[in-house]
């Protein structure tokens, strides 16, 4: 550990630091969104920016996602590098056309002659009883549609490196951060997300997964909050003498299938943890990535721990019943053994 | 502000080029599509939206623009593209789905992009609004010259995104102009059954910006109003809204039977065809001689012929190229 990374940051602070550092060296970077100015972002990820950069570059918008996300596309095509925030990913319905028909398609439609260097930050996840319109993950929805890179950090080190990489990318990057990992007390705090973060700017390669815990009996693959559930489950499994490897996807698009396959080839077993809805989503994609490549590496049928296909319920006991957790991952291992 | 003689010639040239281009497309479009109309067949596959009759709006506005200025166009983009100076050969090739097209066949007729002249368009109603507002914001933030113009149809004004974008442009005082081409029809639904007011220009009041409606599909009147709006934008005085009455001489798309049109409407429209009208006016005003106009017409036709030839003779898009350019290189 160098002197510069002795301090620990929350994901929110890491995102704000990355943005500030990039804004100091690149005048084309600016931030737009709802309540990202004096409030500092509902999740704290733009805190302190307006004091340094002013209201021209840290631009509070009206509640008009279609207009300002569409405007970000136009500004990006015109030489700027906008960072825009869709406050809750659940709000995509009011502006998805600007996202998947403009942001994600204009590079292709132009045959690569137009660049769309923008970052769409958006919060994901529930667990704090905010109801079904403010708690979804929707990883699969965004990752399914071609033309947008999609990243989902699980800790502050990755969050800073991904943020800087996203701002420097000439393609649109959807930056999905989980509310429960932001380090905002009122959303519950996952201690594992607050880690040492170097002070100097650095980038993380988009499209590269990480093996965050080595193991030899089963691969638990996830992203965001799911990685912390997987790590907790791995500890419990260890007590039973089971060695679990945990793969943090980090990026959903491009998806690092090689790292997933290598891990499963080593362990022979696969559990996917996904806080997004079960069907037609990330969990199916991960399993398909392994099985259609070489099913012979599997010693058991893969398992999924995902949100059941119901809208996210409000009542705390109902929501917690539906959310993935370490016990469910351990149970998936048990079922795998029993099968 | 009246157009100079040179500007009048430029406007006439671009109107004629657009019309000849669309006439050529209309003819080729049906090649290979019969006996049963099959949209996917022939040298120009897919939907085709022609802009015959709407040329005055494109030239009246674009006469004031330079390549540096930004235009976002509609799903009916050819007249706007030609007036903005989009490469005609590459545009034709794109419409034919050729390798030499603006994007090598990835975009097609509703998705023409030419970054040399800052032109983009979209197949979805009102969708050019946000990007044009963003380009205007970009110019303002960078202190760079240039304005952004979003062309939309009168049907787009009832779309939520249109209102959001107008408000954003106004609240940020951006160098942005929204030009509404009012051809009276949103596919088969008439403006009067779709819009609560007769003049969308009146909606400008809701955003505290100037709004003006121009009647008669008159290229000179459009030129004058657009000139004022663009000058305001260039001077940092903010956005404007223009609504131009125009006429769609063709159907919504090629193959549209237009049964929704009231009896006789179409004939009346052809009597108001803006191209012969402008020719007569140029001659009557002494702004051009017969010989000059003949030359413009011949040159325009030759340019279109060359573009169509280029498109026809170009190689088809390579199928496997479909898998490239999803992300920026």
């Amino acid at each position: 550990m160098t002197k510069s990374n002795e301090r620990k940051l929350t994901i929110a602070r890491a995102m704000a630091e990355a943005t500030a550092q990039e804004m100091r060296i690149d005048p084309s970077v600016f931030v737009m969104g709802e309540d990202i100015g004096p409030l500092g972002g509902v999740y704290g990820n733009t805190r302190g920016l307006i004091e340094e950069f002013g209201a021209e570059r840290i631009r509070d918008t009206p509640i008009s996602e279609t207009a300002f996300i569409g405007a970000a596309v136009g500004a990006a095509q015109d030489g700027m590098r906008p960072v825009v925030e869709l406050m809750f990913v659940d709000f995509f319905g009011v502006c998805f056309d600007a996202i998947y028909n403009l942001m994600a398609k204009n590079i292709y439609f132009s045959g690569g002659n137009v660049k769309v260097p923008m970052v769409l930050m958006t919060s994901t996840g529930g667990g704090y009883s905010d109801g079904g319109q403010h708690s979804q993950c929707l990883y699969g929805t965004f990752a399914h549609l071609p033309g947008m890179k999609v990243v989902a950090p699980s800790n502050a080190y990755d969050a800073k490196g991904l943020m800087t990489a996203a701002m420097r990318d000439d393609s649109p990057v959807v930056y999905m951060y989980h509310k429960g990992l932001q380090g905002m007390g009122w959303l519950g705090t996952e201690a594992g997300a607050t880690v040492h973060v170097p002070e100097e700017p650095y980038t993380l390669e988009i499209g590269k997964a990480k093996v965050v815990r080595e193991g030899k009996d089963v691969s638990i693959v996830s992203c965001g909050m799911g990685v912390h559930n997987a790590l907790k489950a791995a500890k419990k499994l260890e007590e039973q003498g089971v060695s679990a490897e945990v793969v943090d996807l980090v990026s959903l698009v491009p998806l690092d299938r090689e790292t997933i396959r290598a891990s499963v080839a080593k362990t022979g077993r696969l559990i996917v943890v996904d806080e997004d809805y079960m069907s037609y989503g990330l969990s199916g994609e991960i399993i398909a990535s392994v099985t259609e490549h070489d099913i012979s590496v599997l010693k058991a049928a893969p398992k999924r721990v995902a949100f059941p296909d119901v809208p996210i319920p409000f009542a705390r006991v109902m929501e917690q019943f539906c959310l993935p957790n370490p016990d469910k991952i351990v149970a998936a291992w048990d079922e795998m053994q029993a099968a | 502000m009246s157009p100079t003689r040179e500007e009048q010639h430029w406007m006439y040239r671009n109107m004629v080029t657009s019309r000849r281009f669309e006439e050529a497309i209309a003819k080729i479009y049906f090649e290979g599509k019969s006996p049963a109309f099959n949209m996917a067949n022939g040298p120009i596959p897919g939907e085709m939206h022609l802009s015959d009759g709407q040329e005055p709006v494109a030239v009246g506005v674009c006469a004031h623009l330079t390549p540096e200025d930004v235009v976002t166009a509609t799903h009916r983009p050819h007249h706007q593209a030609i007036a903005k100076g989009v490469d005609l050969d590459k545009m034709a090739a794109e419409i034919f789905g050729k390798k030499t097209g603006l994007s090598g066949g990835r975009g097609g007729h509703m998705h023409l992009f030419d970054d040399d002249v800052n032109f983009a368009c979209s197949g979805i109603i009102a969708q050019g609004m946000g990007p044009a507002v963003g380009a205007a914001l970009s110019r303002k933030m960078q202190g760079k010259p240039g304005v952004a113009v979003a062309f939309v149809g009168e049907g787009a004004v009832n779309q939520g995104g249109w209102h959001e974008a107008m408000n954003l442009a106004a609240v940020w005082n951006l160098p942005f102009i929204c030009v509404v081409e009012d051809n009276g029809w949103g596919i088969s639904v008439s403006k009067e059954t779709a819009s609560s007011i007769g003049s969308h220009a009146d909606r400008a009041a809701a955003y505290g910006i100037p709004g003006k409606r121009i009647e008669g599909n008159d290229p000179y009147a459009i030129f004058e109003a657009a000139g004022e709006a663009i000058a305001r934008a260039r001077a940092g005085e903010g956005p404007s809204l223009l609504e131009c009455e125009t006429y769609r001489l063709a159907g919504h798309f090629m193959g549209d039977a237009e049964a929704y049109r009231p009896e006789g409407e179409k004939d009346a429209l052809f009597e108001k065809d803006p191209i012969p009208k402008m020719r007569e006016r140029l001659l009557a005003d002494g702004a051009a001689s017969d010989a000059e106009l003949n030359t413009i017409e011949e040159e325009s036709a030759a340019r279109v012929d060359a573009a169509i030839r280029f498109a026809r003779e170009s190689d088809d898009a390579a199928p496997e190229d479909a898998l490239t350019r999803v992300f920026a290189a």
Side-chain angles (χ1 to χ4, degrees):
Chain A
M1 195 184 303
T2 64
K3 176 135 182 79
S4 76
N5 66 1
E6 278 175 4
R7 64 11 180 328
K8 285 186 175 183
L9 291 188
T10 62
I11 287 186
R13 294 247 340 254
M15 290 174 73
E17 180 172 284
T19 307
Q21 288 177 339
E22 201 60 13
M23 287 183 76
R24 282 176 208 135
I25 58 173
D26 186 349
S28 63
V29 177
F30 70 105
V31 186
M32 259 195 302
E34 293 154 4
D35 308 294
I36 56 93
L39 187 71
V42 169
Y43 309 106
N45 50 326
T46 54
R47 200 161 283 177
L49 297 180
I50 196 162
E51 289 78 2
E52 180 175 353
F53 300 103
E56 182 75 5
R57 290 181 76 192
I58 305 296
R59 193 170 272 270
D60 268 338
T61 62
I63 301 166
S64 305
E65 292 89 349
T66 291
F68 74 75
I69 294 172
V73 175
Q77 289 175 190
D78 197 54
M80 300 295 280
R81 290 185 171 273
V83 176
V84 286
E85 179 158 87
L86 174 62
M87 190 189 286
F88 288 78
V89 74
D90 316 69
F91 299 171
F92 85 95
V94 297
C95 57
F96 212 32
D97 192 60
I99 296 170
Y100 85 112
N101 271 323
L102 283 174
M103 183 186 89
K105 288 184 177 145
N106 281 359
I107 291 174
Y108 191 76
F109 283 163
S110 71
N113 294 320
V114 163
K115 292 173 178 165
V116 187
M118 61 182 281
V119 183
L120 177 69
M121 304 189 289
T122 188
S123 73
T124 64
Y128 63 112
S129 282
D130 210 14
Q133 295 175 342
H134 294 73
S135 302
Q136 299 170 96
C137 283
L138 304 178
Y139 299 130
T141 305
F142 285 76
H144 176 64
L145 294 157
M148 8 179 186
K149 298 184 180 178
V150 181
V151 299
S154 68
N155 63 68
Y157 178 88
D158 291 359
K160 180 173 174 182
L162 285 173
M163 193 68 205
T164 303
M167 287 184 284
R168 292 180 186 177
D169 205 295
D170 284 337
S171 300
V173 179
V174 182
Y175 187 108
M176 304 180 94
Y177 57 88
H178 194 287
K179 300 176 200 98
L181 302 179
Q182 285 300 93
M184 307 288 279
W186 57 280
L187 291 162
T189 297
E190 169 51 59
T194 301
V195 298
H196 293 288
V197 177
E199 282 174 18
E200 62 274 12
Y202 60 95
T203 59
L204 218 63
E205 185 185 346
I206 293 174
K208 199 89 192 110
K210 285 182 176 177
V211 176
V212 292
R213 185 186 201 277
E214 301 259 358
K216 56 185 195 315
D217 296 326
V218 59
S219 300
I220 308 176
V221 177
S222 193
C223 70
M225 180 62 94
V227 173
H228 299 281
N229 285 325
L231 288 168
K232 286 169 192 161
K235 265 195 177 159
K236 289 177 184 241
L237 288 169
E238 193 173 21
E239 289 159 17
Q240 300 175 23
V242 179
S243 164
E245 178 149 304
V246 177
V247 177
D248 183 345
L249 294 171
V250 186
S251 298
L252 309 182
V253 180
L255 181 62
D256 183 359
R257 294 185 169 88
E258 292 306 315
T259 296
I260 301 163
R261 286 169 185 159
S263 175
V264 179
K266 181 169 78 168
T267 63
R269 296 177 187 85
L270 171 61
I271 297 172
V272 186
V273 182
D274 184 6
E275 196 182 318
D276 195 2
Y277 304 116
M278 166 93 83
S279 300
Y280 304 98
L282 188 67
S283 59
E285 183 60 35
I286 302 298
I287 291 169
S289 295
V290 170
T291 55
E292 71 183 2
H293 179 70
D294 180 6
I295 201 164
S296 72
V297 301
L298 289 170
K299 298 173 191 161
K303 283 277 175 195
R304 303 196 247 182
V305 178
F307 205 93
D309 297 325
V310 298
I312 299 178
F314 160 71
R316 181 156 176 83
V317 291
M318 292 169 82
E319 186 185 19
Q320 294 299 323
F321 173 79
C322 292
L323 280 169
N325 61 38
D327 289 340
K328 287 184 182 181
I329 300 168
V330 171
W333 165 263
D334 293 341
E335 286 166 26
M336 196 180 261
Q337 292 315 103
Chain B
M1 184 193 304
S2 301
T4 63
R5 184 184 159 93
E6 198 185 354
E7 284 163 338
Q8 289 176 39
H9 287 209
W10 180 92
M11 290 163 75
Y12 186 66
R13 180 183 300 278
N14 279 279
M15 285 173 62
V16 172
T17 303
S18 180
R19 183 65 63 86
R20 295 289 166 269
F21 187 72
E22 302 232 307
E23 284 168 351
I25 284 176
K27 210 165 138 199
I28 298 164
Y29 185 74
F30 285 109
E31 282 178 25
K33 286 193 172 61
S34 52
F37 179 70
N38 184 334
M39 193 177 276
N41 287 345
I44 303 177
E47 267 189 273
M48 175 53 62
H49 311 85
L50 299 182
S51 54
D52 299 34
Q54 301 188 190
E55 299 91 345
V57 190
V59 298
V61 174
C62 292
H64 301 282
L65 302 179
T66 71
E68 177 64 23
D69 297 309
V70 172
V71 161
T72 62
T74 66
H75 62 288
R76 194 181 303 289
H78 302 156
H79 58 317
Q80 298 154 352
I82 288 167
K84 186 62 174 56
V86 170
D87 187 299
L88 196 65
D89 289 359
K90 290 184 187 172
M91 176 172 149
E94 184 63 28
I95 292 165
F96 279 68
K98 296 299 184 80
K99 197 173 208 161
T100 52
L102 287 167
S103 66
R106 292 173 187 81
H109 126 90
M110 284 188 275
H111 312 114
L112 305 169
F113 284 76
D114 188 343
D115 58 323
D116 288 341
V117 296
N118 288 300
F119 180 89
C121 61
S122 157
I124 295 178
I125 299 306
Q127 207 191 44
M129 290 291 289
V133 167
L137 172 64
S138 165
R139 297 309 169 90
K140 190 178 183 190
M141 290 183 75
Q142 295 183 76
K144 267 177 35 178
V147 300
V149 178
F151 286 95
V152 299
E154 90 290 338
V157 179
N158 296 320
Q159 224 275 347
W162 186 90
H163 293 272
E164 287 189 14
M166 284 307 301
N167 180 61
L168 204 59
V171 80
W172 288 348
N173 198 42
L174 300 178
F176 168 78
I177 299 100
C178 176
V179 177
V180 181
E181 294 192 353
D182 174 16
N183 66 19
W185 292 97
I187 307 185
S188 68
V189 177
S190 69
K191 183 186 184 185
E192 59 194 26
T193 59
S195 292
S196 60
I197 56 173
S199 172
H200 287 310
D202 292 347
R203 296 185 193 265
Y207 307 104
I209 63 171
K212 188 168 186 180
R213 180 174 166 86
I214 300 106
E215 307 284 348
N217 206 21
D218 176 350
Y220 296 162
I222 294 167
F223 176 92
E224 187 178 343
E228 283 170 18
I230 292 166
R232 279 189 82 247
R234 291 200 199 285
E237 291 166 24
S240 303
L241 171 59
L242 298 180
E243 181 171 60
C244 306
E245 184 187 18
T246 189
Y247 316 115
R248 190 181 83 200
L249 298 178
H252 166 67
F253 64 104
M254 293 283 295
D256 178 359
E258 296 182 81
Y260 50 83
R261 294 252 202 201
E263 191 86 19
E265 181 184 279
K266 209 56 191 290
D267 298 335
L269 291 185
F270 279 107
E271 283 166 27
K272 296 195 271 191
D273 185 333
I275 291 181
K277 268 176 76 177
M278 185 167 181
R279 193 181 206 287
E280 284 165 25
R281 201 158 151 192
L282 285 163
L283 292 171
D285 294 348
S289 68
D290 227 8
E292 283 175 312
L293 296 179
N294 290 345
T295 303
I296 288 174
E297 287 165 18
E298 284 158 19
E299 286 170 353
S300 300
R303 194 168 155 232
V304 168
D305 287 348
I308 298 292
R309 200 174 325 116
F310 175 78
R312 279 213 195 255
E313 291 172 1
S314 288
D315 290 340
D316 283 338
E320 62 275 16
D321 280 353
L323 304 182
T324 64
R325 312 275 171 93
V326 175
F327 294 118

